[in-house]
Amino acid sequence: MTTIAIIGAGFCGTTLAVHLLRRPPVTPLNVVLINRSGLLARGVAYGTRTASHVLNVPAARMGALPGEEDGFLQFARRQDPKVGGASFVARRAYGDYLESLLADAAVRAGSGVRFRAVVGDVNRILPLAGGGARILLSNGDAIGAERVVLSMGNYAPGDPPVAAGQRSFYSSPRYVANPWRPDALWVVKPEQPVLLIGTGLTMLDIALDLRERGHAAPIYALSRRGLVPQAHRDLETPPVYDEQLPRRMLAQPTARNYLRAMREAVIVHERAGRDWRDVIGAVRAVTPQLWQALPLRERQRFLRHVRPYWETHRHRCAPALGRRLQAEIDSGALALIAGRITGYDESVEALHVRFRRRGGKAEEALAVGTVINCTGPDNDTRKLRDPLIGGLREDGLLRVDRLGLGFEIDEHYALLDHDGRATPWLHYVGPFLKYRDWEATAVPELRRHVAALAAVLHRELGGAREAIAGFAS
Ligand SMILES: Cc1cc2nc3c(=O)[nH]c(=O)nc-3n(C[C@H](O)[C@H](O)[C@H](O)COP(=O)(O)OP(=O)(O)OC[C@H]3O[C@@H](n4cnc5c(N)ncnc54)[C@H](O)[C@@H]3O)c2cc1C
């Protein structure tokens, strides 16, 4: 019996299990899906219970499997007939959908396929001499597998930098390091102002969550540039894409030319009465090619100068949330600050946060009850203090990428080892693919990667040809 162990049962791990159960690459097959918590099919994104945490992709585009793009829309409509293709549905409903896909695939799996969900925290993978590995869990259990797939998802935000003498700030009860912990907001007192560090989608999630919990005091949100997520446009009018834009960008693969070409396209588009968002849409399908065409130095330039603008324009929020954010800003309930924190002083009553505004010289201060780290996922494997990643690094099984975006992974989703060789039994799928493809964040991209990895497993483990043909590559 061949065992495929999948580490992490969020979107990627769950949907990979669905592919394998529906069309096993080899029989007999044992699929073991290991997740830190007993909540399968949720991950960070779809485990939330907060009503205002809605998907940032319309329902019609959230199908989890290629070929069943409207799968989520159908599911959501069965729960609520008012849901349309352009609706932005609650993220918890998406978790329900993933869970139902998995349960259905497990029930219908053929007799040669076994499925087992294991609740456990994987902290070490020990390679075996003949290939495959022993997977060690923190409770002392071990699981043997011929193939291992890593799908651990996003890591919690890294701590914001502080001056050398200020490291005690990190252990202050007034500092929330991980905003995604279920108990993260329990320490916040509704009558005290809060500072959110970061102004992206995580900030928006937390600000809305605070308001839903009755937080009445001011919210401050600070980042270097103070850029907030743009909202999706009205989706009733179909997009119009400039098909020649990718060609103009690729003609000179530099960060500067990419930016210039996109800016020019936006001007032309808006003059014609169209929406700038269609310019981003025009490069969505070719983003990996655009990224891979950039030499390393240009990728570094892109990350330094363009990334904050790319993130806020490419990863947009639902229109209703955009309006709520704007209303908070307009009323002064949420104050946006573009600046840099210079220090923290703690008293019995409050945390006093010193900062300088962007372009300003004077130091200002805010007194807040809590500071919440909303800087977004930290996927810099050079710095992550995770035993699983640390062990892979120590054993030379992982090649940390030079841009701090993830791992080095080959075209077959195999991890490259320290010497740049693929480890054939060790695969990865998830947001660390950013180093290879740049965009590997949202479901429309990830579902293609998961299907492509399923196809690789088919090919390598000897699956029937007709089965392989059904997968994206
Ligand atoms: C807050 C948030 C909201 C998002 N909203 C959207 C959205 O609306 N639309 C969209 O398309 N994308 C959204 N995304 C993007 C999101 O990254 C993807 O949609 C997708 O959920 C990523 O799936 P994943 O399987 O890689 O990671 P996850 O879904 O996070 O799953 C990883 C799983 O691995 C487990 N795990 C980690 N380490 C271990 C270990 N050592 N041992 C055992 N288990 C482990 C975790 O507990 C978790 O269950 C959002 C992301 C975030 C963070």
Side-chain angles (χ1 to χ4, degrees):
M1 177 169 273
T2 302
T3 296
I4 301 180
I6 304 171
I7 301 173
F11 174 82
C12 292
T14 300
T15 53
L16 180 64
V18 171
H19 280 286
L20 298 176
L21 293 172
R22 284 189 180 185
R23 288 194 282 186
V26 64
T27 53
L29 176 71
N30 184 25
V31 178
V32 183
L33 183 58
I34 312 168
N35 199 59
R36 181 175 283 152
S37 82
L39 268 185
L40 296 188
R42 303 277 160 181
V44 174
Y46 313 117
T48 174
R49 309 303 299 166
T50 303
S52 56
H53 287 174
V54 299
L55 295 168
N56 53 28
V57 177
R61 291 198 221 136
M62 281 297 282
L65 307 167
E68 297 176 24
E69 275 85 356
D70 68 345
F72 175 61
L73 178 58
Q74 303 299 340
F75 176 90
R77 272 201 184 130
R78 284 195 291 277
Q79 322 294 313
D80 176 0
K82 290 197 295 295
V83 171
S87 304
F88 292 85
V89 178
R91 298 210 298 259
R92 66 180 173 210
Y94 196 74
D96 297 342
Y97 160 67
L98 293 178
E99 208 176 286
S100 80
L101 279 179
L102 180 63
D104 185 62
V107 167
R108 289 167 188 251
S111 56
V113 188
R114 267 181 49 193
F115 172 70
R116 188 157 67 103
V118 174
V119 179
D121 199 339
V122 175
N123 57 14
R124 195 77 201 230
I125 295 175
L126 298 177
L128 299 175
R134 239 170 105 72
I135 297 165
L136 306 185
L137 308 184
S138 59
N139 65 2
D141 286 354
I143 295 166
E146 280 74 35
R147 295 280 173 143
V148 178
V149 177
L150 304 174
S151 52
M152 307 86 74
N154 289 300
Y155 281 75
D159 286 319
V162 290
Q166 297 235 296
R167 298 192 67 81
S168 62
F169 164 72
Y170 295 143
S171 49
S172 164
R174 293 183 182 278
Y175 170 57
V176 176
N178 179 358
W180 298 327
R181 281 177 58 125
D183 60 355
L185 303 185
W186 291 2
V187 295
V188 180
K189 298 212 169 67
E191 68 286 358
Q192 289 188 329
V194 170
L195 171 65
L196 309 181
I197 303 180
T199 58
L201 287 167
T202 307
M203 176 282 288
L204 180 56
D205 258 10
I206 299 301
L208 294 172
D209 204 340
L210 286 170
R211 293 297 187 221
E212 227 160 85
R213 288 162 191 257
H215 188 88
I219 298 176
Y220 301 99
L222 179 147
S223 68
R224 299 257 178 88
R225 295 180 173 81
L227 297 173
V228 292
Q230 299 286 323
H232 282 286
R233 70 177 168 88
D234 137 48
L235 296 161
E236 299 308 316
T237 37
V240 179
Y241 295 141
D242 174 353
E243 307 289 350
Q244 296 305 314
L245 176 60
R247 193 186 48 75
R248 294 201 298 280
M249 293 169 79
L250 284 168
Q252 197 188 339
T254 62
R256 186 188 287 264
N257 180 50
Y258 282 7
L259 188 61
R260 184 171 45 215
M262 290 193 83
R263 273 192 177 143
E264 286 170 3
V266 167
I267 293 169
V268 172
H269 228 63
E270 291 194 326
R271 272 198 200 127
R274 301 191 187 121
D275 198 294
W276 61 264
R277 293 162 185 86
D278 295 350
V279 172
I280 311 269
V283 299
R284 185 162 191 163
V286 292
T287 302
Q289 286 100 299
L290 291 169
W291 177 249
Q292 286 153 16
L294 290 176
L296 185 70
R297 257 168 57 103
E298 290 300 324
R299 292 186 198 189
Q300 286 165 328
R301 278 207 180 110
F302 179 91
L303 293 177
R304 217 170 23 249
H305 303 296
V306 186
R307 184 183 196 170
Y309 301 96
W310 174 266
E311 300 288 4
T312 49
H313 288 76
R314 168 68 170 73
H315 298 284
R316 301 187 286 273
C317 63
L321 299 195
R323 287 192 292 274
R324 276 176 69 181
L325 176 62
Q326 198 53 53
E328 285 269 343
I329 295 170
D330 292 345
S331 68
L334 188 149
L336 269 182
I337 302 170
R340 194 187 282 264
I341 292 175
T342 48
Y344 301 89
D345 305 298
E346 194 163 359
S347 68
V348 182
E349 300 80 34
L351 252 177
H352 303 270
V353 184
R354 286 176 275 119
F355 68 96
R356 273 199 195 92
R357 290 188 195 266
R358 192 175 172 82
K361 289 214 168 62
E363 198 173 58
E364 300 176 49
L366 291 171
V368 294
T370 316
V371 172
I372 305 176
N373 183 5
C374 298
T375 50
D378 180 8
N379 293 344
D380 187 346
T381 45
R382 297 171 300 185
K383 294 189 287 187
L384 278 179
R385 286 193 305 265
D386 173 60
L388 176 55
I389 303 244
L392 290 169
R393 226 172 15 213
E394 250 171 58
D395 294 337
L397 284 169
L398 181 153
R399 190 159 148 125
V400 168
D401 79 75
R402 285 164 288 182
L403 298 175
L405 297 173
F407 311 133
E408 292 202 27
I409 298 149
D410 78 358
E411 68 277 24
H412 306 298
Y413 297 84
L415 253 71
L416 296 190
D417 70 10
H418 190 257
D419 299 319
R421 285 185 308 242
T423 301
W425 54 267
L426 183 58
H427 299 274
Y428 175 83
V429 64
F432 287 178
L433 282 162
K434 252 178 174 309
Y435 179 71
R436 199 188 76 181
D437 288 359
W438 178 238
E439 274 305 331
T441 306
V443 162
E445 275 76 27
L446 290 179
R447 74 173 164 229
R448 281 194 303 104
H449 289 304
V450 173
L453 171 56
V456 166
L457 292 169
H458 259 265
R459 201 166 49 239
E460 295 183 353
L461 292 172
R465 284 217 156 270
E466 58 277 21
I468 297 169
F471 287 99
S473 57

